[in-house]
Each structure stands twice: as structure tokens, then as C-alpha cells.
Amino acid sequence: YHAKKKGNSYLFFNDTMNRQAVKRLQIENLMRFGLKEDHFEVYYQPKMNIRTGKLDGMEALVRFITPKKGIISPGVFIPIAEETGQIIEIGEVVLNKACRDVKNWIDKGLFNGRVAVNLSAKQFSLPDLTTRIDVILQKNELPSYFLELEITEGTVMDDPQEAIAIMRSLSARGIHLAMDDFGTGYSSLAYLKQFPLNTLKVDKAFIDDMQSERGRNMVDSIVTIAHNLDLHVVAEGVEQAEQITMLEQLNCQTVQGFYYSKPLSQPEFTEFLKTQQSNSAPSLIRKINA
Ligand code: C2E
Ligand code: MG
Ligand code: MG
Ligand code: MG
């Protein structure tokens, strides 16, 4: 029986497919339950300004915390949620919690910048996207100025003309837009200049490659293109001090990565903001402004 089965690649392929289908179904069910039971939490990773050593903003990152299977990584459940459409509901939970937390930090005087929230392709193409965002902002009494949305090349290159229209309506509200994982997907330089973007996030893959001269030249070129288009640049996945030094030389002001901090839970990020504040001599800043 085993020999026969082993020799039959079709059967083996089928078995693997079945196992994958079962796993997907399990995660889909876990997500349905998790949405009901509030198992999706938002963590925050600081975006640091190299020059000042201070916080430029933060990125909201979803965490699926299940009682039975522990934390399930976004890399595992996001692709499945994209396929099932559950990403729409998950995305709303994330946006809502991110707005709530930022409102709280602003009210406490701990923060005065933008929170970046990842937007999936499914969410981006919802016909009532802007209304949904308006509702969440209003509910949390958060002005749109404090929100940034991160979208990927794949999301906008599907239908670039339509994407430009959607981005314009978001941008008109004062929401900032960032191109996430830049350089990894299918992107067109011809379109890059037409998209109403504020920020370009250089993917970790390019940052990892900076040990080589060609890798450094690549990042140099991306930063130059971004600046020539009046875009802010954020380097993703920065882990080493040498990378900070190189990025500073290349004129990249903002970095995000484990070097400064891993993504933090809401209470942890509150503590982080407090230590930031004690470092920045706020009394002096207030005196100058008064
Ligand atoms: P992303 O938007 O590019 O987020 C950056 C990812 O890199 C995060 O992984 C972050 O934890 C990780 N990272 C940051 N610094 C470092 C570093 O120095 N080294 C390494 N090795 N990794 C670093 P995470 O949280 O696992 O999220 C993975 C992806 O899942 C995100 O990539 C994003 O595409 C997606 N995602 C996360 N949260 C959401 C969400 O709320 N909505 C949607 N639609 N997608 C999300
Ligand atoms: Mg992102
Ligand atoms: Mg990214
Ligand atoms: Mg990335």
C-alpha cells in the first residue's frame, strides 16, 4: 500500500493539497472565531529619525493572539484572510484600534504624529472605502491628519488609473499615503510620479543587501528617486548600527527596524513614548513656542 502510494506522485500531490486545504480551513475558522472573540490586537513599531534620534511615527501591525495556538504570524493568516475576504473585517478592527490608541496618546500629550496602518488590496478596492475610513476616524474623534495608509505596489498596479482616483480622495482628506515594500513587486516608474504618495518605504531586502557596493548603490538610487519626487523615505527592517551609518550617508532620514525596537503592544508603546518624552526636553520646546 505504502509503496504504491509513494510511487504515485499524483496521490502524493493530492495529499499535500489536502493537508494545506485543511490547514487553511482551520485558520479560516480560527479567524471567524477570533473576530467574534476579539483576538486581533494591534502592535506598534516606531519609525525613528536618524538625525534627531526621535520618533517620526509608528506602524500598526496586527497580531492574532489565539488562546489555543498562541500568536499566529501575519505572514500566515493575512494571505488566507485576503482570499476569504476576512481581511476586510480584520482591517477595520486594526484601523479602529490604531485610531483609538493614537487618540489616547495624543490626548495624554505623549504623541503628535501619524500612525501608519497597512491597507490590503481587498480593502483598497472597496467602493465605500473612504466612507468606512471617515466613520472610523469620526467614531474615535481622530482628525485624518494623524493617519497614514501603507499600500503595496501590487495593490495600485492592478488598475493604476482607478488607484490614482482612490488615492486622490484619501489624500484630499489629509491622509498620508506610503508605498510599502517598494521595489519588491511589479512597479512602474512611469506611474510612481503620478501616484499622490507622501512616503516610499524601501523594503528590507534592499537594506540587507547594503553590505555590497552594488547593494548600497541601489539604495542610494532609490533614495535619490524618492527625494526627486518629493517623497519621504523610510528604510524597513534595519537591524544593525552599520546600516544606520550608511543610511545617514545616503540621506535617508527615517528608519524602522529591530535596531531601534521590535513591534510593541499598546502598554509597551505607551512606556516607550514616555521614555521618548523624557529624552526630548519638552519644557524647553514649550518655552520657545510660547
Ligand atoms: P510590512 O507592512 O512590510 O511590515 C513590516 C514587517 O517587518 C513586520 O512584520 C515587522 O514586524 C517586520 N520587521 C520590522 N523590523 C524588522 C527587522 O528589523 N527585522 C525583521 N526580520 N523584521 C522586521 P509582521 O508584523 O510580521 O507583518 C508582516 C506583514 O503582514 C506586513 O509587512 C504587512 O504586509 C502584513 N500586515 C501586518 N499587519 C497588517 C494589517 O493590519 N493589515 C494588513 N492588510 N496587512 C498587515
Ligand atoms: Mg507596512
Ligand atoms: Mg513593509
Ligand atoms: Mg516588508
Side-chain angles (χ1 to χ4, degrees), residues 180-181 203-204 236:
D180 203 354
D181 306 337
D203 193 78
K204 181 179 192 304
E236 293 192 277

Side-chain angles (χ1 to χ4, degrees), residues 199-215:
T199 304
L200 209 132
K201 297 189 79 178
V202 183
D203 193 78
K204 181 179 192 304
F206 295 104
I207 308 305
D208 288 343
D209 223 30
M210 282 202 309
Q211 295 125 305
S212 75
E213 197 188 337
R214 286 166 71 84

Side-chain angles (χ1 to χ4, degrees), residues 195-264:
F195 293 134
L197 288 165
N198 303 91
T199 304
L200 209 132
K201 297 189 79 178
V202 183
D203 193 78
K204 181 179 192 304
F206 295 104
I207 308 305
D208 288 343
D209 223 30
M210 282 202 309
Q211 295 125 305
S212 75
E213 197 188 337
R214 286 166 71 84
R216 273 193 304 281
N217 290 342
M218 194 70 203
V219 174
D220 190 9
S221 306
I222 296 173
V223 172
T224 302
I225 289 176
H227 285 163
N228 284 338
L229 293 174
D230 261 333
L231 300 175
H232 195 75
V233 186
V234 178
E236 293 192 277
V238 175
E239 295 177 344
Q240 295 149 13
E242 306 84 75
Q243 294 172 327
I244 303 272
T245 312
M246 290 188 275
L247 287 163
E248 190 168 16
Q249 281 164 0
L250 298 182
N251 246 333
C252 173
Q253 315 96 310
T254 310
V255 302
Q256 185 183 344
F258 295 170
Y259 177 78
Y260 281 111
S261 171
K262 64 182 198 319
L264 304 170

